[in-house]
Amino acid sequence: GAGVSQSPSNKVTEKGKDVELRCDPISGHTALYWYRQRLGQGLEFLIYFQGNSAPDKSGLPSDRFSAERTGESVSTLTIQRTQQEDSAVYLCASSPSRGFGYTFGSGTRLTVV
Amino acid sequence: TQLLEQSPQFLSIQEGENLTVYCNSSSVFSSLQWYRQEPGEGPVLLVTVVTGGEVKKLKRLTFQFGDARKDSSLHITAAQPGDTGLYLCAGEDQGAQKLVFGQGTRLTINP
């Protein structure tokens, strides 16, 4: 596609439920990143994919968070047993390779009630 | 952990004024990028600077990378209401393949 697509754009879930967030990167972009942005704050790194491997998952806050990527295509970020502190905008970005700027999606706004 | 400190965090000025936003770190970065983010959207890349001392201009925006590649600045001349947004600097970690972001500068230009 022309840009990075994320779905859903908004998600309201009850505390304790699992959620799955999806990212479709730009075709041909081998690098894919997930970031979290809390209200009024900067971006917090979660995980980086090169192809379908994750060389850096150091930003995942807890073992409730996991992510996978199919080849050089779609990625899903899963949050199990959601907590209120998980409420944030989750942003996905892709890049042709290291050293290039990122193209971000519009994000998924997650609200845990 | 590499940190990028942006200042000021908030800036509200009148249309036509000039402004400078700063991005500082004690770490060296292989490159530094500036993004602009509007409400409900993801950040959009404005510029990438790679060489120490490099200056890049984008219309009324001037970006500078420090000689030691630890800091950067964004200068806007004759600000316009359309410049309103959240400006984020991001450094590429020399060892890891990810961007480290500053906390952002929220800029408001009043007509």
Side-chain angles (χ1 to χ4, degrees):
Chain A
V4 177
S5 178
Q6 290 189 246
S7 61
S9 54
N10 280 284
K11 176 73 176 178
V12 180
T13 189
E14 291 181 352
K15 179 181 170 181
K17 294 282 179 68
D18 298 351
V19 294
E20 193 171 277
L21 313 181
R22 177 187 170 107
C23 173
D24 278 281
I26 291 174
S27 177
H29 280 196
T30 59
L32 186 147
Y33 306 83
W34 284 97
Y35 284 82
R36 179 168 71 178
Q37 187 174 32
R38 290 204 166 98
L39 188 63
Q41 298 190 19
L43 275 65
E44 175 190 4
F45 170 78
L46 297 178
I47 188 169
Y48 153 62
F49 285 93
Q50 181 62 40
N52 63 0
S53 66
D56 190 348
K57 52 180 78 170
S58 62
L60 294 178
S62 74
D63 58 8
R64 296 187 296 105
F65 288 71
S66 63
E68 61 180 28
R69 187 181 184 193
T70 307
E72 294 186 352
S73 183
V74 172
S75 176
T76 54
L77 176 68
T78 302
I79 308 173
Q80 295 178 309
R81 305 181 303 281
T82 52
Q83 303 295 313
Q84 287 186 327
E85 65 261 27
D86 299 334
S87 296
V89 175
Y90 289 81
L91 290 160
C92 174
S94 69
S95 172
S97 67
R98 182 182 181 182
F100 286 82
Y102 294 1
T103 301
F104 281 88
S106 296
T108 293
R109 181 174 297 278
L110 176 65
T111 304
V112 182
V113 297
Chain B
T1 302
Q2 295 179 300
L3 292 174
L4 278 166
E5 299 281 342
Q6 283 188 242
S7 62
Q9 285 193 311
F10 300 92
L11 183 59
S12 180
I13 62 172
Q14 293 302 120
E15 182 177 1
E17 293 183 359
N18 302 331
L19 67 107
T20 302
V21 175
Y22 299 93
C23 176
N24 296 299
S25 176
S26 58
S27 302
V28 175
F29 293 99
S30 55
S31 71
L32 200 135
Q33 301 174 13
W34 284 90
Y35 291 79
R36 178 165 162 253
Q37 185 179 23
E38 298 195 51
E41 299 294 328
V44 175
L45 178 68
L46 296 174
V47 78
T48 301
V49 284
V50 178
T51 308
E54 183 176 2
V55 176
K56 279 193 175 178
K57 291 194 174 184
L58 190 66
K59 296 183 181 178
R60 294 176 294 100
L61 278 60
T62 302
F63 303 85
Q64 185 161 9
F65 201 11
D67 291 341
R69 291 186 289 132
K70 292 182 179 182
D71 53 79
S72 181
S73 63
L74 158 60
H75 182 79
I76 301 179
T77 304
Q80 298 177 4
D83 296 327
T84 293
L86 179 68
Y87 288 81
L88 296 155
C89 67
E92 184 178 22
D93 188 328
Q94 283 189 313
Q97 300 190 27
K98 65 187 180 189
L99 288 179
V100 174
F101 280 81
Q103 78 274 34
T105 295
R106 191 164 299 278
L107 176 64
T108 303
I109 309 300
N110 304 299

